[in-house]
Amino acid sequence: MRAFKFRLEKVLHIRQIKEDQQKQKWALREKAARQEQAELERLLVKKNDITEFGYGQGDLRIRSAMYQYLEILDRKIKRQQLGVKKSEELARQAQKEWFLARREKEKITILKDKHYSAYRKEKLRREQKILDDMQPRLKGN
């Protein structure tokens, strides 16, 4: 009997490549989302530090400058929050695409497993038939 050959091996290989690409895309987007979140946290800590420093000062010019800077910082924080939301959404979308690619690959893998199982069953059946055919000859000697 011939060796097992899965006709859709190339398709399986392509699906594996696509899954790997989607997984890498998701990992990169997830990393970008974490970086955006870290930048937001850095800005929030900076705002807190500036607020504490400014309120500890008795000079009105320093407090006035602090309020102006806090307004600028608040705008940066709002932009960063939007950036975080967008990058998290991109990461979720990339994860969904990776799951879809993985599911498509698994369909072909399951099909391959079924074909291989049928091949093994047929091979064992043929081997058993050969053994059964040899048995009467051995008893006759």
Side-chain angles (χ1 to χ4, degrees):
M1 186 171 194
R2 295 183 339 226
F4 176 72
K5 181 160 173 67
F6 185 56
R7 293 180 324 166
L8 298 174
E9 194 66 45
K10 290 181 182 180
V11 174
L12 179 60
H13 182 68
I14 290 170
R15 297 271 171 95
Q16 179 65 48
I17 291 170
K18 284 184 179 182
E19 180 197 0
D20 293 343
Q21 289 173 341
Q22 292 298 332
K23 184 177 181 181
Q24 186 175 28
K25 180 180 173 183
W26 168 69
L28 290 173
R29 295 229 170 126
E30 189 68 28
K31 181 180 177 184
R34 285 193 309 270
Q35 289 173 341
E36 292 285 333
Q37 183 64 37
E39 178 63 19
L40 176 62
E41 290 172 9
R42 187 188 68 77
L43 288 172
L44 291 171
V45 167
K46 189 174 185 178
K47 179 182 177 182
N48 190 35
D49 291 346
I50 290 170
T51 304
E52 286 180 20
F53 173 77
Y55 286 134
Q57 301 299 314
D59 189 358
L60 292 178
R61 288 178 289 172
I62 293 176
R63 280 196 180 186
S64 176
M66 176 196 70
Y67 290 130
Q68 290 173 355
Y69 186 70
L70 284 176
E71 286 178 26
I72 294 169
L73 201 54
D74 281 338
R75 286 194 297 268
K76 284 184 180 180
I77 289 171
K78 286 181 183 179
R79 276 195 309 267
Q80 191 63 33
Q81 287 171 334
L82 291 175
V84 166
K85 285 181 183 179
K86 183 177 181 178
S87 63
E88 286 176 346
E89 180 58 37
L90 288 173
R92 277 192 297 276
Q93 182 62 32
Q95 186 180 32
K96 287 178 186 176
E97 291 171 2
W98 171 43
F99 285 149
L100 289 174
R102 189 171 73 185
R103 189 178 313 145
E104 291 299 316
K105 184 202 74 164
E106 286 175 353
K107 288 177 185 177
I108 301 296
T109 303
I110 290 169
L111 187 61
K112 180 181 180 179
D113 291 344
K114 285 181 180 180
H115 282 270
Y116 184 71
S117 178
Y119 165 81
R120 288 287 300 154
K121 188 175 180 181
E122 179 63 21
K123 185 176 179 180
L124 290 173
R125 188 189 65 75
R126 286 184 182 191
E127 287 175 0
Q128 187 62 45
K129 184 177 181 185
I130 291 171
L131 289 173
D132 289 347
D133 289 346
M134 292 176 74
Q135 197 108 16
R137 291 184 207 153
L138 293 175
K139 288 184 181 179
N141 289 337

